[in-house]
Amino acid sequence: MPTYATTTRATLRSRIQERLISTFWTNTEINAYINEALRVWNVCTGYNKNTYTNNFAANTFGYSISAAGTNAMFVLRVENAAFRHLDPITIKELGNLDPNWVSNTSTSPTNWMQVGVNSLFIYPTPSTLQTGLTTYTIDTFQVPTQDSDFIQIGEEDLQYIVDYCVFIARLKEGGKEAQESVTLLQGFLLQAAKYNSKILQTSLYKRVMGTFSTQTRNPKLEHQTVR
Amino acid sequence: MAVSDQNLTNEIQLHLLEPPNNGASYQSLLYTTAEVAARLNYRANLFNLLTNSFVNFTELPATNNSKIQNLVNNFMDIIDVNYSATGTLAGGGLYYSIPAGSSLEGDEFITVQTAVTLPSLYTIDSSQVLTINFFPAPTFTDSNGQMMVFYTPTIGVFPAVPNGTTFQSGFPDDLTPFIKYGVLADLFNKSGETHDPLRGSICEGLFNLGIELARSWISGSVFEPVAVQQPFIAPING
């Protein structure tokens, strides 16, 4: 899988320091800001997507989210070894559709359900070992640990990571600097909204089916280039 | 890399212009380690209560011939209840999903509330803390009455002096910055020399941003019957 290999942590930190009075913030501190910015960006956009192939043990009611993937945070979809998808479902739906869902088992599960961020359920509970299930996930962001590590975000978005770090740095200063830096945070969030709007605009069938139930009460930014 | 209480308090110290030492002490004497730990526990639990990010499920023994059913002591909020009169899941017990309801509904529509094999609903409106009520009360033989309960637990279990305790396994590192800002909001909103309402409101805004984001992801996949979707991001005002 290709990875970004353009900007190291050291380079990114120097970009941030160029915008600050560099002596007021240590390298360690700015590294922490970088980690935070990457994590917040990931939660805002679901940027760090991944795919795993797993085996799910038989007769297990509920798996740790790590069963979906080592660093998995949110599950997006699940498919079996025959490339057939399992449908997502919710506790409420299961309770209504199958009152005995906790006890029921099957050799061929049909649904998956994430409960909170920490648990994954396969329904009905598999009575045999399920091999070769592929999970598509959003992982926690693997933050850089060395100055030579490359930042796994595209250059087109990296400027907003710098902005977020400058915002956090100025928040430490307080007063007018902190107040004025809020515009940097707003720019960061706007860029995240643009990223999300592109994904939403390309989800043609989801729009046609009307599954964006919250869209009307939470209007999203229309992406400019994807129609 | 799992984020620990020392990681977060170190960053909190940097925000407060304190020498960072993993939260071991506060040189200005404006804050105490126990105070910061208390705010960290409070904000972690509040975050979880408002987002249902971290959910536990467990089998609990039911109480025979009683509406009152005991839960666990780290319980914060109920998500789903199932009941078996035939033993545990491992023992082949057959669980039934028990719908949520209210005592009023129970009283109006279940005219005979003598003990039954299978309760019709569970309520929290008339239950004591750390319990739920079954309408009607279930009866069972031996110790076969079991509940499979999904609930939101407390996740703030950090000691008064940070010692490297991490968030519970499964709680993602990516959500921890928002909890940190909740702690900072509390510290900036203290009375006296530390009072800084501007930074307090910005930090509170970041805490609330985290709640909205977590709810977007989780509600898309779990609690509402819709496909997973990208979160809507509301503007934040300083």
Side-chain angles (χ1 to χ4, degrees), chain A residues 10-82:
Chain A
T11 306
L12 182 64
R13 192 174 62 233
S14 67
R15 280 197 212 171
I16 296 163
Q17 285 168 327
E18 286 163 6
R19 305 248 313 257
L20 298 169
I21 308 165
S22 58
T23 53
F24 196 56
W25 296 271
T26 63
N27 285 355
T28 305
E29 191 171 3
I30 294 177
N31 289 345
Y33 295 166
I34 291 171
N35 290 351
E36 180 182 321
L38 296 173
R39 285 172 172 147
V40 173
W41 176 257
N42 194 36
V43 178
C44 285
T45 61
Y47 198 84
N48 193 26
K49 296 179 182 70
N50 205 348
T51 307
Y52 299 90
T53 300
N54 305 293
N55 296 337
F56 286 83
N59 300 313
T60 302
F61 178 73
Y63 303 87
S64 162
I65 190 66
S66 60
T70 313
N71 301 306
M73 179 164 57
F74 302 113
V75 178
L76 296 172
R77 68 183 295 268
V78 179
E79 67 182 19
N80 64 22

Side-chain angles (χ1 to χ4, degrees), chain B residues 1 44 48 54 64 116 120 126 131 145 164 166 198 211 215 231 237-238:
Chain B
M1 187 176 86
N48 204 34
F54 192 91
N64 194 18
V116 295
S120 297
S126 57
T131 69
T166 57
L198 171 67
I211 288 170
R215 287 170 68 126
N237 297 310

Side-chain angles (χ1 to χ4, degrees), chain A residues 74-77 88 112 114 138 200 206 212, chain B residues 216-217 220-222 226-230:
Chain A
F74 302 113
V75 178
L76 296 172
R77 68 183 295 268
W112 62 273
Q114 185 173 358
I138 296 168
L200 294 175
K206 280 164 80 176
F212 292 152
Chain B
S216 293
W217 285 115
S221 60
V222 179
V226 295
V228 172
Q229 54 186 279
Q230 303 296 116

Side-chain angles (χ1 to χ4, degrees), chain A residues 94-112:
Chain A
L94 274 179
N96 290 336
L97 296 172
D98 178 5
N100 303 123
W101 72 272
V102 168
S103 298
N104 282 345
T105 62
S106 169
T107 55
S108 304
T110 54
N111 298 81
W112 62 273

Side-chain angles (χ1 to χ4, degrees), chain B residues 76-178:
Chain B
M76 283 201 299
D77 196 9
I78 196 81
I79 291 174
D80 193 56
V81 178
N82 301 268
Y83 173 77
S84 163
T86 52
T88 62
L89 194 58
L94 180 60
Y95 273 93
Y96 286 83
S97 176
I98 306 297
S102 70
S103 300
L104 178 66
E105 290 166 311
D107 291 339
E108 291 297 322
F109 299 112
I110 307 172
T111 50
V112 180
Q113 293 196 18
T114 50
V116 295
T117 305
L118 185 66
S120 297
L121 52 88
Y122 77 88
T123 75
I124 55 172
D125 60 351
S126 57
S127 64
Q128 302 167 47
V129 293
L130 304 181
T131 69
I132 54 173
N133 288 345
F134 275 154
F135 277 72
T139 58
F140 50 86
T141 54
D142 302 327
S143 57
N144 284 340
Q146 297 284 327
M147 297 181 292
M148 176 68 81
V149 179
F150 289 73
Y151 67 100
T152 309
T154 53
I155 60 169
V157 289
F158 300 106
V161 178
N163 64 358
T165 302
T166 57
F167 282 85
Q168 293 192 40
S169 175
F171 189 83
D173 291 349
D174 292 17
L175 295 178
T176 58
F178 305 108

